[in-house]
mmCIF file of all heavy atoms in Angstrom:
data_model
loop_
_atom_site.group_PDB
_atom_site.id
_atom_site.type_symbol
_atom_site.label_atom_id
_atom_site.label_comp_id
_atom_site.label_asym_id
_atom_site.label_seq_id
_atom_site.Cartn_x
_atom_site.Cartn_y
_atom_site.Cartn_z
ATOM 1 N N LEU A 26 8.866 -3.479 0.806
ATOM 2 C CA LEU A 26 7.450 -3.249 1.067
ATOM 3 C C LEU A 26 6.690 -4.589 1.023
ATOM 4 O O LEU A 26 7.052 -5.473 0.246
ATOM 5 C CB LEU A 26 6.861 -2.286 0.033
ATOM 6 C CG LEU A 26 7.441 -0.889 0.002
ATOM 7 C CD1 LEU A 26 6.782 -0.076 -1.095
ATOM 8 C CD2 LEU A 26 7.301 -0.190 1.348
ATOM 9 N N SER A 27 5.661 -4.722 1.797
ATOM 10 C CA SER A 27 4.849 -5.929 1.715
ATOM 11 C C SER A 27 3.834 -5.748 0.599
ATOM 12 O O SER A 27 3.438 -4.624 0.266
ATOM 13 C CB SER A 27 4.192 -6.255 3.039
ATOM 14 O OG SER A 27 3.302 -5.241 3.403
ATOM 15 N N CYS A 28 3.409 -6.880 0.040
ATOM 16 C CA CYS A 28 2.472 -6.834 -1.071
ATOM 17 C C CYS A 28 1.671 -8.121 -1.139
ATOM 18 O O CYS A 28 2.024 -9.122 -0.491
ATOM 19 C CB CYS A 28 3.209 -6.600 -2.385
ATOM 20 S SG CYS A 28 4.233 -8.004 -2.906
ATOM 21 N N SER A 29 0.623 -8.102 -1.938
ATOM 22 C CA SER A 29 -0.133 -9.311 -2.221
ATOM 23 C C SER A 29 -0.588 -9.204 -3.673
ATOM 24 O O SER A 29 -0.872 -8.118 -4.180
ATOM 25 C CB SER A 29 -1.308 -9.484 -1.277
ATOM 26 O OG SER A 29 -2.194 -8.394 -1.389
ATOM 27 N N LEU A 30 -0.634 -10.339 -4.337
ATOM 28 C CA LEU A 30 -1.002 -10.415 -5.758
ATOM 29 C C LEU A 30 -2.265 -11.259 -5.868
ATOM 30 O O LEU A 30 -2.286 -12.379 -5.359
ATOM 31 C CB LEU A 30 0.149 -11.062 -6.565
ATOM 32 C CG LEU A 30 -0.014 -11.186 -8.041
ATOM 33 C CD1 LEU A 30 -0.116 -9.798 -8.689
ATOM 34 C CD2 LEU A 30 1.171 -11.919 -8.628
ATOM 35 N N ASN A 31 -3.293 -10.684 -6.480
ATOM 36 C CA ASN A 31 -4.532 -11.472 -6.635
ATOM 37 C C ASN A 31 -4.565 -12.082 -8.039
ATOM 38 O O ASN A 31 -3.756 -11.746 -8.909
ATOM 39 C CB ASN A 31 -5.771 -10.688 -6.303
ATOM 40 C CG ASN A 31 -6.091 -9.619 -7.341
ATOM 41 O OD1 ASN A 31 -5.691 -9.680 -8.481
ATOM 42 N ND2 ASN A 31 -6.850 -8.628 -6.918
ATOM 43 N N GLY A 32 -5.500 -12.950 -8.269
ATOM 44 C CA GLY A 32 -5.560 -13.697 -9.519
ATOM 45 C C GLY A 32 -5.923 -12.847 -10.730
ATOM 46 O O GLY A 32 -5.747 -13.277 -11.869
ATOM 47 N N SER A 33 -6.420 -11.612 -10.525
ATOM 48 C CA SER A 33 -6.763 -10.776 -11.665
ATOM 49 C C SER A 33 -5.644 -9.845 -12.097
ATOM 50 O O SER A 33 -5.868 -8.921 -12.880
ATOM 51 C CB SER A 33 -8.030 -9.967 -11.311
ATOM 52 O OG SER A 33 -7.755 -9.064 -10.290
ATOM 53 N N GLY A 34 -4.455 -10.065 -11.608
ATOM 54 C CA GLY A 34 -3.302 -9.257 -12.014
ATOM 55 C C GLY A 34 -3.189 -7.932 -11.298
ATOM 56 O O GLY A 34 -2.608 -6.997 -11.814
ATOM 57 N N THR A 35 -3.771 -7.830 -10.098
ATOM 58 C CA THR A 35 -3.620 -6.592 -9.288
ATOM 59 C C THR A 35 -2.650 -6.859 -8.150
ATOM 60 O O THR A 35 -2.799 -7.816 -7.401
ATOM 61 C CB THR A 35 -5.003 -6.185 -8.729
ATOM 62 O OG1 THR A 35 -5.896 -5.941 -9.807
ATOM 63 C CG2 THR A 35 -4.866 -4.923 -7.895
ATOM 64 N N LEU A 36 -1.687 -5.962 -8.036
ATOM 65 C CA LEU A 36 -0.701 -6.036 -6.964
ATOM 66 C C LEU A 36 -1.070 -4.993 -5.918
ATOM 67 O O LEU A 36 -1.176 -3.802 -6.234
ATOM 68 C CB LEU A 36 0.700 -5.787 -7.512
ATOM 69 C CG LEU A 36 1.844 -5.949 -6.502
ATOM 70 C CD1 LEU A 36 1.983 -7.394 -6.064
ATOM 71 C CD2 LEU A 36 3.149 -5.425 -7.092
ATOM 72 N N GLN A 37 -1.336 -5.431 -4.685
ATOM 73 C CA GLN A 37 -1.672 -4.530 -3.587
ATOM 74 C C GLN A 37 -0.367 -4.293 -2.804
ATOM 75 O O GLN A 37 0.204 -5.231 -2.251
ATOM 76 C CB GLN A 37 -2.713 -5.159 -2.678
ATOM 77 C CG GLN A 37 -3.075 -4.325 -1.483
ATOM 78 C CD GLN A 37 -4.201 -3.350 -1.757
ATOM 79 O OE1 GLN A 37 -4.806 -3.359 -2.810
ATOM 80 N NE2 GLN A 37 -4.470 -2.480 -0.799
ATOM 81 N N ILE A 38 0.086 -3.050 -2.774
ATOM 82 C CA ILE A 38 1.357 -2.712 -2.119
ATOM 83 C C ILE A 38 1.044 -1.929 -0.859
ATOM 84 O O ILE A 38 0.253 -0.970 -0.872
ATOM 85 C CB ILE A 38 2.231 -1.843 -3.051
ATOM 86 C CG1 ILE A 38 2.554 -2.616 -4.341
ATOM 87 C CG2 ILE A 38 3.524 -1.441 -2.340
ATOM 88 C CD1 ILE A 38 3.201 -1.768 -5.405
ATOM 89 N N THR A 39 1.629 -2.337 0.262
ATOM 90 C CA THR A 39 1.490 -1.636 1.528
ATOM 91 C C THR A 39 2.685 -0.718 1.718
ATOM 92 O O THR A 39 3.827 -1.183 1.721
ATOM 93 C CB THR A 39 1.383 -2.628 2.689
ATOM 94 O OG1 THR A 39 0.291 -3.493 2.454
ATOM 95 C CG2 THR A 39 1.214 -1.923 4.006
ATOM 96 N N LEU A 40 2.417 0.584 1.853
ATOM 97 C CA LEU A 40 3.493 1.548 2.008
ATOM 98 C C LEU A 40 3.929 1.622 3.462
ATOM 99 O O LEU A 40 3.176 1.281 4.365
ATOM 100 C CB LEU A 40 3.030 2.934 1.528
ATOM 101 C CG LEU A 40 2.540 2.990 0.079
ATOM 102 C CD1 LEU A 40 2.004 4.381 -0.253
ATOM 103 C CD2 LEU A 40 3.606 2.587 -0.879
ATOM 104 N N ASN A 41 5.136 2.110 3.687
ATOM 105 C CA ASN A 41 5.684 2.226 5.042
ATOM 106 C C ASN A 41 5.316 3.550 5.693
ATOM 107 O O ASN A 41 6.053 4.044 6.533
ATOM 108 C CB ASN A 41 7.223 2.082 5.025
ATOM 109 C CG ASN A 41 7.625 0.651 4.745
ATOM 110 O OD1 ASN A 41 6.911 -0.277 5.022
ATOM 111 N ND2 ASN A 41 8.811 0.517 4.147
ATOM 112 N N GLU A 42 4.205 4.105 5.354
ATOM 113 C CA GLU A 42 3.761 5.403 5.900
ATOM 114 C C GLU A 42 2.755 5.150 7.016
ATOM 115 O O GLU A 42 1.811 4.372 6.850
ATOM 116 C CB GLU A 42 3.134 6.252 4.803
ATOM 117 C CG GLU A 42 2.663 7.587 5.255
ATOM 118 C CD GLU A 42 3.773 8.512 5.716
ATOM 119 O OE1 GLU A 42 4.802 8.595 5.037
ATOM 120 O OE2 GLU A 42 3.611 9.125 6.780
ATOM 121 N N LYS A 43 2.949 5.751 8.164
ATOM 122 C CA LYS A 43 2.047 5.563 9.296
ATOM 123 C C LYS A 43 0.973 6.641 9.401
ATOM 124 O O LYS A 43 -0.023 6.477 10.068
ATOM 125 C CB LYS A 43 2.834 5.501 10.602
ATOM 126 C CG LYS A 43 3.854 4.352 10.648
ATOM 127 C CD LYS A 43 3.148 3.023 10.473
ATOM 128 C CE LYS A 43 4.160 1.907 10.433
ATOM 129 N NZ LYS A 43 3.659 0.731 9.750
ATOM 130 N N ASP A 44 1.185 7.775 8.742
ATOM 131 C CA ASP A 44 0.248 8.914 8.804
ATOM 132 C C ASP A 44 -0.516 9.006 7.478
ATOM 133 O O ASP A 44 -0.032 9.605 6.522
ATOM 134 C CB ASP A 44 0.988 10.197 9.104
ATOM 135 C CG ASP A 44 0.068 11.405 9.187
ATOM 136 O OD1 ASP A 44 -1.166 11.209 9.259
ATOM 137 O OD2 ASP A 44 0.588 12.530 9.143
ATOM 138 N N ALA A 45 -1.685 8.405 7.430
ATOM 139 C CA ALA A 45 -2.480 8.391 6.195
ATOM 140 C C ALA A 45 -2.845 9.770 5.731
ATOM 141 O O ALA A 45 -2.844 10.069 4.538
ATOM 142 C CB ALA A 45 -3.754 7.543 6.434
ATOM 143 N N ARG A 46 -3.118 10.672 6.649
ATOM 144 C CA ARG A 46 -3.527 12.035 6.307
ATOM 145 C C ARG A 46 -2.431 12.774 5.522
ATOM 146 O O ARG A 46 -2.712 13.572 4.622
ATOM 147 C CB ARG A 46 -3.905 12.825 7.534
ATOM 148 C CG ARG A 46 -4.517 14.179 7.245
ATOM 149 C CD ARG A 46 -4.942 14.899 8.518
ATOM 150 N NE ARG A 46 -5.921 14.176 9.289
ATOM 151 C CZ ARG A 46 -7.237 14.194 9.102
ATOM 152 N NH1 ARG A 46 -7.717 14.881 8.120
ATOM 153 N NH2 ARG A 46 -8.035 13.519 9.873
ATOM 154 N N SER A 47 -1.166 12.498 5.823
ATOM 155 C CA SER A 47 -0.066 13.199 5.136
ATOM 156 C C SER A 47 0.046 12.821 3.673
ATOM 157 O O SER A 47 0.679 13.528 2.900
ATOM 158 C CB SER A 47 1.276 12.914 5.861
ATOM 159 O OG SER A 47 1.686 11.573 5.623
ATOM 160 N N LEU A 48 -0.612 11.732 3.293
ATOM 161 C CA LEU A 48 -0.572 11.296 1.880
ATOM 162 C C LEU A 48 -1.759 11.812 1.053
ATOM 163 O O LEU A 48 -1.802 11.593 -0.142
ATOM 164 C CB LEU A 48 -0.533 9.770 1.814
ATOM 165 C CG LEU A 48 0.686 9.111 2.421
ATOM 166 C CD1 LEU A 48 0.561 7.613 2.360
ATOM 167 C CD2 LEU A 48 1.950 9.567 1.710
ATOM 168 N N ALA A 49 -2.714 12.475 1.721
ATOM 169 C CA ALA A 49 -3.932 12.917 1.023
ATOM 170 C C ALA A 49 -3.581 13.775 -0.196
ATOM 171 O O ALA A 49 -2.770 14.672 -0.121
ATOM 172 C CB ALA A 49 -4.796 13.732 1.982
#
């Protein structure tokens, strides 16, 4: 999975899901 780490200790993870509604 792709991710980014900011300076405040938060890791933003991008999921491999293309249908956002299915995750609601």
